Amino acid sequence: MGIINFLIVLSILVFIHELGHFLVARYLGVTVHVFSIGFGKKIFSKHWKGTTWQFAIIPLGGYVKMKGQDDSDPSKLESGDDSYNNKTPLQRIAILLAGPFANFLLAAFLYFCIALMGSREYSPEIGHVEPNSPALKAGLLVGDKIVRINQTDIQTWNDLSKVIKNSQTALKFYVKRDNKLQAIIINPKLSNTQNMFREKVKKRMIGIGPGKVITVQHTVPSSVEYAIEKTAQSSQMIFLGVKKLIQGIIPSSEIGGVITIGKVISDASQSSIIALFSIMALISVNLGVLNLLPIPALDGGHIMFNLYELITRKKPSDKAFIYLTIAGWVILGSLMLLGLYNDIMRFFS
């Protein structure tokens, strides 16, 4: 069942990405010969409105094959107004951006659905107080619920963390204890901690930790706000993750492959619909971000070629185009093999 869920989720994510390319290409008058979910030999196909829609035997991705654009022959040109290569650089860039953009839209939609169903967040109730911390010295106790800081209402632990992190002076905490509200002044202290990438950083803190998880109900407007914020946060996190990986801060052993992705999706599908939607949204953002990287053979690489043409008023030479595209495929293949190797090593460790 886990494998089936993995294939369904991956197919949806790939379909949405390729649908973005397809819709903008057709809007700009480009003929799309093939819309494929998967690579290799086709196992099902149907020709409809000038396009062959198909499922292929290797379900790890997909593609739309447009007239005048062929990654297997990057220098190929085809005549006609319905050819990709005869569109302006800006039009080609719009087609290329549409795939990642569709992934971001899907993620936002999934986060919107999560908000409407009730997002799971840490409660602003204190579950732990650090020894010798500003919170302990000020008199905060386990079980205290923080309802407001200065003039900001607090609904979740994330709200609380934002206010403390961005503070410059002492804060006035309104704390609910034994059904009574009391005000406590606390001055956050700049302390050493670790970020999500295990880097040592300094952050203003008061020395408390969360306790329980609650379900937060959202209105439609707040669900839209939640969806935009979560999509932006996920995108920023993945961009930073890629940057840290390139810098060597994150070791290459942290790269996961198809087995890791499959396990995460399988576990989430067995947990709850909210967990599944959360993982789908994160993977969708991941696909969008990674496809924007300036690696030849990815959307980002093709965008760079078109930006070069837009700026210089001339196309890259066929030789450079072919060599760079081959190099891009080598990079992608190496990363896939590294991910698979890491998956196997984790399995046997």
Side-chain angles (χ1 to χ4, degrees), residues 23 25 31-33 47 78 93 97 113 131 153 164 189 195 199-200 278 294 297 304 314 317 325 327 342:
L23 291 176
T31 293
V32 179
H33 295 305
H47 193 77
E78 293 187 73
I93 289 172
L97 284 174
C113 293
D153 291 330
I164 296 173
K189 178 183 176 183
N195 61 18
E199 295 176 287
K200 291 182 179 180
S278 296
M304 292 302 294
K314 63 179 181 179
S317 69
T325 300
N342 289 339

Side-chain angles (χ1 to χ4, degrees), residues 18-37:
E18 300 304 335
L19 185 63
H21 290 313
F22 174 85
L23 291 176
V24 175
R26 294 299 300 123
Y27 177 78
L28 293 174
V30 177
T31 293
V32 179
H33 295 305
V34 180
F35 187 118
S36 180
I37 304 298

